Amino acid sequence: MTDRVNNFPPLPKFMRLKPCFYQNFEEDIPPEHQILVKRIYYLWILYSVTLVVNLIGCLAWWIGGGYGVNFGLALLWLLVFSPCSYVCWFRPAYKAFRSDSSFNFMTFFFILGAQFILTVIQAVGISGWGVCKVHKIYRGGGGSIQKAQDEWSSGSWRNPPARDPHFSSVSGNTLPQYPTVPSYPDSNPWA
C-alpha cells in the first residue's frame, strides 16, 4: 500500500498551506457506493458555488445602492460555511461509507438536515426573521454601544428592573410604569 498523502483541497505547490484531507473515491469507498458518495461531493460543490454566486449578487446589489452589510455577510458565509459544510457533513458521509460507521452516518444526517432547514429559511427570505429584526428592535428602543457600555460598567445588567429601588417604593395595585413601546423606522428593505 502506498503512503496516503493528503490531497484535498488541491492547493498550488508554492503555497505554504498544505492539503488537510486524503480523498480518493476509488480507493476508499466500496464500488457499490462510489456513485452516491460522488453525488454527495457534487452537492457540496453546488452548495459552495451557490455561496460564491450569493457573494457576487450581494456585491452587485451593494454597488447598485444596496446595503454593504449583505456583502459582508455573504463573504462571511462563503469563508465559514463552505469549509464547515465540507468538514461537518461531507467528511462524515465519506467516512461513514469508507468504514460503515453509524456515528458518522448520524452526524451526516443531523448536520445536513439542520443546514438544509437553515438554507431553506434563508432562500425563502421571510420578512422580519433573524438578526435584522432583533437589531431593529434594539435600535428602535434606544439601544446603542454607549448605553451597553454604561450598563456594563454600572452593573445594572445583573439586576432586573423589579429589583431597582424606585420600583420597590410602589404600593397598592399600581404596576411600575415601563417605557413606552419603541417606535421603529418605517423603511423596510425586505417588505
Side-chain angles (χ1 to χ4, degrees), residues 7-120:
N7 61 358
F8 192 86
L11 300 170
K13 299 285 185 199
F14 64 85
M15 290 185 69
R16 296 186 75 185
L17 294 174
K18 301 296 177 208
C20 303
F21 304 100
Y22 178 78
Q23 181 172 299
N24 186 337
F25 296 106
E26 287 74 25
E27 191 176 299
D28 286 346
I29 308 299
E32 63 271 12
H33 302 300
Q34 286 178 5
I35 292 173
L36 179 60
V37 176
K38 285 182 182 179
R39 285 183 181 164
I40 296 170
Y41 176 66
Y42 297 145
L43 179 65
W44 173 76
I45 290 174
L46 176 67
Y47 177 71
S48 298
V49 167
T50 303
L51 292 176
V52 170
V53 170
N54 182 50
L55 180 74
I56 294 167
C58 287
L59 176 63
W61 190 52
W62 186 24
I63 291 170
Y67 297 106
V69 70
N70 292 326
F71 175 75
L73 288 173
L75 182 62
L76 179 70
W77 256 237
L78 177 64
L79 295 177
V80 172
F81 288 119
S82 188
C84 284
S85 61
Y86 180 85
V87 171
C88 294
W89 62 261
F90 172 72
R91 281 306 287 184
Y94 185 88
K95 291 189 295 187
F97 282 103
R98 181 182 68 199
S99 60
D100 196 22
S101 166
S102 293
F103 176 78
N104 283 314
F105 274 117
M106 291 307 297
T107 302
F108 165 73
F109 287 123
F110 179 74
I111 304 269
L112 181 66
Q115 186 173 1
F116 177 75
I117 290 168
L118 290 174
T119 303
V120 167

